Amino acid sequence: MADVPMPSRSNPSIAALLLDHSTTGIALVEGDGMVFAYVNEAFQAIAPDRPMLGRGFEAVWPEVAAQFLPVLRQVRATLVPVELEDVRADVRRRLEGPLEEAWWNVTMKALPPRGGEPPAIAIHTVDRTAAVRLRRQAELMQAEQERLREAERAARGAELVAEAIPQLVWTCGPSGETEWLNQRWRDYTGLTPGPQAGDPWRAVLHEHDAPRWLNRWMTAVRSGLPVDLEARLKAADGSFRWHLLRAVPLRDEGDRVVKWFGTATEIEEQRRTRDAAELARRREADARQRAEDASFAAAQRAAELDAVLDSIADGLVISNRENEFERANDTALRLLGELPPGSDWLQRFVAHDEQGREVPGGQLPPVRALRGEVVHGEELRLEPRAGRGAPTWLSVSAAPIRDDRGAIRGVVTTFGDITRLRELQERQSDLLRAISHDLRTPLTVILTQAQMLQRKPDDAATVVRRAESVRTSAQRMAAMIEDLVDLVRLEAGLVKLTPRAVPLAPFATELRDRLRGTLAVERLRLEVPDALPAASADPPRLERILVNLITNALKYSPPESETTLSGAVVDGQVQLTVADHGPGIPADEVDRVFERFYRSPSATRKEGLGLGLYITRLLVEAHGGQIRVESEVGRGSAFHVLLPRAVAAEVEA
Ligand code: ADP
């Protein structure tokens, strides 16, 4: 201390030292531009990288110039010092830095004037920023505490009210810990938990409800949302009573939860009446559900059964103990027609056995099954008693349906449609009859004529007539035998074709010439264009095809009517058509005339085996061709034969 001389006005160097190192920022400004003539360390430290000496106030402190320049001028003009306390003046502490919040104590004082010069002004600054901030924080904290105290008082007020109300009331801290429980709570539970008693709810909540409440309560504490739940609370006497537990958060201005208020309202009565209603409702709903389930299961089983039944190709009918119709699959309904449930379905038909005898009701397969018999594949011809519908041949099986105890509770009857099969069988026996008849007829003619020729010498004309008769009969027999032989060989795949190019116009002309004398070819008009491309065909087989069609055309049409054989190119192939003005073929038979042994039941009976068109089709198909018929009843028929065109190699050969 001895080294440091006491400051004194007479020692300018000490005064300068004190000025320079003072913690108060000191500066001197002078002239109109308020140019800095002096700044001490502390003043420079406000903005260390800012050059100040020799520069005007505005240039040095642009951010606060508007605030302080007028005051400085005022001080210079009036010579009255100005002291500003804790004035806010935000400054840039670094040149390019941000404006920073700052508070200052600033004193501006004019120095004693020297001569006539306007006085310089001394500026003293003390940075109050830290102090002001501290003070502000303290103020804020105080306000906060005041608010808390206020809330506390309010809560306490609420608690006082809560003490009085008949509900159980409690409060919890923001993180859920129980703080306070009202008198009613203590009365109800018989518990007086001390501060260290742990969670008072553990002893009170029913063990079934505790986890649920805890779960909901924790979620509420986390989310800050109100919560309620019905739970059983244990009373002092050990009984449990239903309560509605509800907790709502109390928030401060910052929206933070500061407290939870909880209430528990007894709802034992409501619960009981509601439970009774609920129980009744639930029982009813259960019953309804069970009924729905059952009917659903039943419907599902029925649907499954229907699906199974419908997937069976045979007809299937299920009937009950009285043999009344219960259900059937699609095939059965198609074969038997619509059957109303509960109807005596067996009454709707007359059944005949293979011998054509009517089967009495008691002998029908379903009736026998009802007596315990299992019937397999009985062939019956069923004819509807009323209404239309063709008789059908059915192969009928029937078996009893037995319940768990073996009692018969119904019958399942299945049947396959064997009408076509029976028809074929019938046609085959028809064929045998036809063969024996049709072959025998010309044979009888031949035998009779031959005998006549032998017995007595006739005149020449009669001999010629008899010989002619023998020849045509023999020819017809030969044709029939040929049909039968062809049939066997074609079906056995023994017919090998040797196709070659057949120019159709000359072929048709030659064919007609050859048939003269055998068929009434004068009724046949040829319309095969000379330019028609050659077909690829086996000539003898092509001849059979055309002869069959022409024979039918002449046979089935009136003797005076005309028939035509025409040709055309269709789809790049050659088509030959034999058309007549005969009776035509009914639409439902058109597809069947090419079947084996098919003879139209509607046509007037003519000699024939029902093989001609069948063989014709097989021959056309063996050529790789197609045959079809266009026909209109009463107008006539046109049989179209489509054949492949001859290829170049065939034409040259
Ligand atoms: P069929 O020996 O009876 O003539 P087809 O196989 O040649 O045998 O003919 C089968 C059936 O087709 C005949 O019974 C007849 O009813 C019918 N049919 C064939 N051709 C004609 C036609 N041109 N006009 C009308 N019906 C025909």
Side-chain angles (χ1 to χ4, degrees):
M1 278 297 250
D3 291 332
V4 182
M6 285 298 286
S8 116
R9 278 181 199 277
S10 56
N11 191 337
S13 61
I14 290 177
L17 263 175
L18 280 174
L19 269 181
D20 283 348
H21 300 294
S22 166
T23 51
T24 302
I26 301 169
L28 197 68
V29 288
E30 56 187 14
D32 284 339
M34 301 290 171
V35 176
F36 280 95
Y38 171 80
V39 289
N40 75 348
E41 280 177 2
F43 196 93
Q44 183 66 54
I46 298 171
D49 51 3
R50 224 186 270 229
M52 297 187 195
L53 281 178
R55 300 179 70 212
F57 190 93
E58 176 141 36
V60 177
W61 295 108
E63 65 265 47
V64 294
Q67 195 175 354
F68 290 110
L69 262 183
V71 187
L72 286 170
R73 290 203 182 105
Q74 181 203 316
V75 170
R76 194 172 64 156
T78 60
L79 303 180
V80 180
V82 169
E83 283 181 28
L84 303 172
E85 233 178 85
D86 286 346
V87 60
R88 171 130 183 220
D90 296 353
V91 294
R92 289 177 215 282
R93 310 249 177 202
R94 281 169 293 112
L95 264 187
E96 302 298 328
L99 265 184
E100 291 176 37
E101 191 184 64
W103 275 268
W104 312 90
N105 284 350
V106 184
T107 311
M108 285 163 271
K109 192 176 181 214
L111 293 186
R114 279 191 236 138
E117 297 273 310
I121 297 165
I123 306 172
H124 292 242
T125 59
V126 176
D127 190 345
R128 295 275 301 156
T129 307
V132 169
R133 279 213 187 117
L134 271 173
R135 195 184 64 215
R136 279 209 314 188
Q137 265 170 21
E139 280 167 8
L140 280 172
M141 273 164 66
Q142 214 177 341
E144 179 83 347
Q145 260 165 2
E146 188 48 44
R147 263 201 304 279
L148 271 176
R149 265 197 297 277
E150 192 59 37
E152 209 68 341
R153 270 196 297 277
R156 182 67 199 139
E159 281 171 8
L160 284 174
V161 175
E163 282 291 5
I165 61 175
Q167 271 105 335
L168 281 62
V169 183
W170 68 94
T171 64
C172 290
S175 47
E177 68 286 357
T178 306
E179 284 178 343
W180 173 83
L181 301 151
N182 76 346
Q183 187 58 46
R184 171 80 188 119
W185 196 94
R186 294 191 292 272
D187 292 347
Y188 176 82
T189 60
L191 300 173
T192 318
Q196 254 74 53
D199 184 359
W201 292 98
R202 218 174 276 284
V204 174
L205 277 163
H206 192 284
E207 57 175 327
H208 285 150
D209 303 331
R212 258 186 325 144
W213 170 250
L214 203 69
N215 191 14
R216 301 279 297 275
W217 173 230
M218 292 324 279
T219 312
V221 167
R222 267 198 304 277
S223 65
L225 295 171
V227 57
D228 53 45
L229 185 81
E230 292 183 9
R232 281 155 288 185
L233 300 184
K234 192 177 186 176
D237 63 3
S239 70
F240 282 93
R241 299 175 77 77
W242 279 101
H243 285 76
L244 175 64
L245 272 58
R246 193 171 265 158
V248 292
L250 175 76
R251 296 169 184 279
D252 66 7
E253 282 113 282
D255 219 28
R256 279 180 311 241
V257 174
V258 290
K259 219 180 233 323
W260 288 87
F261 272 97
T263 56
T265 314
E266 195 183 302
I267 50 162
E268 187 67 22
E269 266 317 300
Q270 292 100 304
R271 232 0 241 217
R272 214 171 302 165
T273 45
R274 200 183 59 197
D275 277 0
E278 172 71 6
L279 199 67
R281 199 191 61 73
R282 210 177 295 160
R283 280 215 188 105
E284 190 193 310
D286 276 2
R288 202 181 312 126
Q289 187 60 42
R290 267 198 304 280
E292 272 169 20
D293 284 354
S295 71
F296 178 73
Q300 199 172 5
R301 269 199 301 279
E304 280 168 8
L305 184 60
D306 280 347
V308 170
L309 297 189
D310 283 340
S311 68
I312 297 172
D314 278 346
L316 187 147
V317 169
I318 295 172
S319 46
N320 67 12
R321 223 187 317 250
E322 275 72 51
N323 241 325
E324 286 165 351
F325 172 76
E326 272 188 355
R327 65 194 304 139
N329 68 357
D330 285 350
T331 315
L333 295 178
R334 211 166 45 243
L335 287 170
L336 304 178
E338 281 305 318
L339 297 169
S343 65
D344 191 350
W345 67 296
L346 294 173
Q347 281 304 305
R348 297 162 67 99
F349 307 95
V350 191
H352 289 88
D353 65 11
E354 285 172 283
Q355 280 72 46
R357 290 182 303 242
E358 188 178 330
V359 181
Q363 286 307 307
L364 290 170
V367 181
R368 279 154 61 197
L370 213 49
R371 295 196 293 262
E373 193 183 334
V374 176
V375 185
H376 278 300
E378 210 158 277
E379 296 195 2
L380 295 175
R381 185 166 161 280
L382 239 60
E383 212 171 329
R385 268 189 213 279
R388 302 184 307 115
T392 35
W393 274 99
L394 300 177
S395 164
V396 185
S397 305
I401 303 171
R402 293 180 190 274
D403 65 17
D404 298 341
R405 295 184 312 270
I408 295 174
R409 61 153 293 264
V411 171
V412 57
T413 309
T414 63
F415 37 84
D417 186 357
I418 52 163
T419 312
R420 281 282 176 108
L421 197 71
R422 287 302 295 210
E423 274 176 20
L424 194 65
Q425 285 171 359
E426 273 169 20
R427 268 186 272 149
Q428 250 160 338
S429 28
D430 277 359
L431 171 75
L432 283 175
R433 271 194 298 278
I435 289 176
S436 49
H437 171 261
D438 290 359
L439 279 178
R440 218 173 269 148
T441 315
L443 195 59
T444 314
V445 174
I446 293 169
L447 282 173
T448 321
Q449 299 296 337
Q451 274 170 1
M452 301 290 239
L453 284 171
Q454 262 181 342
R455 213 172 286 163
K456 54 175 173 54
D458 276 320
D459 58 276
T462 312
V463 170
V464 169
R465 195 174 44 79
R466 290 197 199 285
E468 183 60 27
S469 173
V470 168
R471 193 178 69 87
T472 49
S473 296
Q475 247 168 359
R476 261 165 46 207
M477 276 185 76
M480 280 187 223
I481 291 165
E482 209 174 328
D483 270 356
L484 288 169
V485 172
D486 270 2
L487 169 73
V488 174
R489 294 180 66 209
L490 276 166
E491 286 191 336
L494 291 173
V495 175
K496 287 277 168 297
L497 300 189
T498 358
R500 58 182 185 79
V502 179
L504 293 169
F507 184 83
T509 314
E510 284 164 25
L511 177 66
R512 187 176 53 178
D513 291 344
R514 265 204 306 284
L515 292 177
R516 212 175 290 280
T518 316
L519 291 175
V521 287
E522 57 284 354
R523 288 171 51 206
L524 178 68
R525 193 150 56 88
L526 293 185
E527 283 178 5
V528 184
D530 289 337
L532 192 70
S536 169
D538 179 320
R541 268 56 187 243
L542 179 57
E543 182 171 328
R544 282 279 286 142
I545 292 168
L546 293 177
V547 168
N548 280 352
L549 294 178
I550 293 165
T551 308
N552 278 348
L554 295 171
K555 181 165 77 175
Y556 290 107
S557 59
E560 66 286 357
S561 68
E562 191 179 60
T563 59
T564 46
L565 169 61
S566 58
V569 175
V570 172
D571 296 337
Q573 291 182 295
V574 284
Q575 179 176 275
L576 292 172
T577 299
V578 177
D580 63 52
H581 299 286
I585 302 164
D588 58 333
E589 289 179 42
V590 158
D591 289 336
R592 307 195 59 189
V593 291
F594 297 106
E595 283 178 17
R596 196 182 186 223
F597 302 133
Y598 185 80
R599 304 206 69 204
S600 168
S602 57
T604 39
R605 203 75 184 167
K606 299 267 179 186
E607 199 176 72
L609 300 178
L611 282 177
L613 286 180
Y614 176 65
I615 290 167
T616 307
R617 174 167 67 87
L618 293 186
L619 285 171
V620 171
E621 285 170 358
H623 277 88
Q626 282 161 19
I627 186 166
R628 64 189 179 87
V629 60
E630 268 180 303
S631 190
E632 203 182 320
V633 174
R635 303 293 298 268
S637 313
F639 287 82
H640 303 288
V641 175
L642 206 58
L643 291 171
R645 269 167 76 158
V647 293
E650 289 173 330
V651 178
E652 279 152 24

